[in-house]
């Protein structure tokens, strides 16, 4: 009987300890003029198109990406610096313009709709993966620039990984 009482007393403590180990997703960080893109170390704000930020476990600040395509490549890469605790992307449904996608209109990537396969170039000149906070914004974008709407988990590897033909005639949205 004593072992059962002991188990009954310790179970809530063990469950509470498990809950404390869960990492709380940090809030997105506003984009500043000094943020550098993770892969190229260029200033993120100097490039048009949607941006991204990834928060890593144990790191005090997020890593930024000048192009969402690069963010997706990082997510799909088996070689990362640490566990990902949060991923945010620019909500292009509310972005002021393509050249000025906003500094604080971040949305969680797992809730965004992404347009892949459109005819637009991102901030670094490669075909872009464009995030939207709502399906209507994605649909309007697809009507004008082509592509398909997918969630983050369904972005095909070849949309973010592999060689890029920079001689393609890609558009830069207004």
């Amino acid at each position: 009987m004593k072992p059962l009482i002991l188990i009954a007393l310790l179970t809530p403590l063990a469950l509470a300890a498990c809950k404390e180990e869960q990492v709380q997703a940090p809030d997105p960080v506003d984009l500043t003029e000094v943020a550098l893109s993770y892969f190229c170390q260029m200033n993120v704000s100097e490039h048009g198109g949607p941006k991204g930020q990834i928060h890593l476990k144990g790191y005090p600040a997020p890593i930024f990406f000048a192009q969402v395509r690069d963010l997706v490549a990082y997510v799909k890469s088996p070689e990362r610096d640490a566990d990902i605790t949060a991923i945010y992307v620019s909500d292009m449904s509310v972005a002021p313009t393509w050249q000025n996608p906003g500094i604080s209109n971040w949305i969680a990537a797992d809730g965004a709709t992404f347009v892949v396969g459109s005819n637009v170039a991102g901030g670094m000149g490669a075909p872009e993966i464009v995030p939207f906070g709502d399906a209507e914004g994605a649909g309007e974008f697809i009507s004008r620039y082509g592509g398909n709407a997918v969630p983050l988990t369904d972005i095909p590897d070849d949309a973010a990984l592999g060689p890029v033909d920079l001689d393609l005639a890609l558009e830069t949205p207004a």
Side-chain angles (χ1 to χ4, degrees):
M1 185 72 163
K2 287 183 182 179
L4 289 176
I5 293 172
L6 186 58
I7 290 172
L9 291 173
L10 293 178
T11 299
L13 294 174
L15 292 175
C18 289
K19 288 181 183 176
E20 287 178 18
E21 289 180 19
Q22 291 177 340
V23 177
Q24 177 75 17
D27 291 330
V29 174
D30 284 353
L31 185 62
T32 67
E33 292 182 11
V34 297
L36 299 178
S37 187
Y38 177 75
F39 287 126
C40 65
Q41 294 300 297
M42 295 174 75
N43 189 293
V44 174
S45 63
E46 292 178 3
H47 304 279
K51 311 295 177 225
Q53 62 178 273
I54 294 178
H55 294 254
L56 300 171
K57 184 177 181 181
Y59 285 63
I63 55 176
F64 285 96
F65 297 86
Q67 186 164 335
V68 173
R69 174 192 170 92
D70 293 344
L71 176 141
V72 174
Y74 181 89
V75 169
K76 290 180 174 287
S77 172
E79 300 175 12
R80 292 195 290 265
D81 295 333
D83 291 335
I84 295 172
T85 60
I87 304 172
Y88 298 102
V89 290
S90 301
D91 181 355
M92 296 307 285
S93 296
V94 297
T97 66
W98 186 264
Q99 289 303 320
N100 177 19
I103 62 169
S104 62
N105 55 314
W106 300 105
I107 53 173
D110 61 359
T113 299
F114 293 86
V115 175
V116 296
S118 69
N119 191 32
V120 298
M124 301 306 291
E128 184 59 292
I129 299 169
V130 187
F132 291 88
D134 61 56
E136 183 179 324
E140 291 171 9
F141 186 86
I142 290 169
S143 294
R144 185 162 183 190
Y145 300 105
N148 298 302
V150 297
L152 178 65
T153 54
D154 292 350
I155 296 174
D157 289 351
D158 64 354
L161 304 171
V164 173
D165 182 359
L166 294 177
D167 291 329
L168 290 174
L170 298 173
E171 294 182 54
T172 301

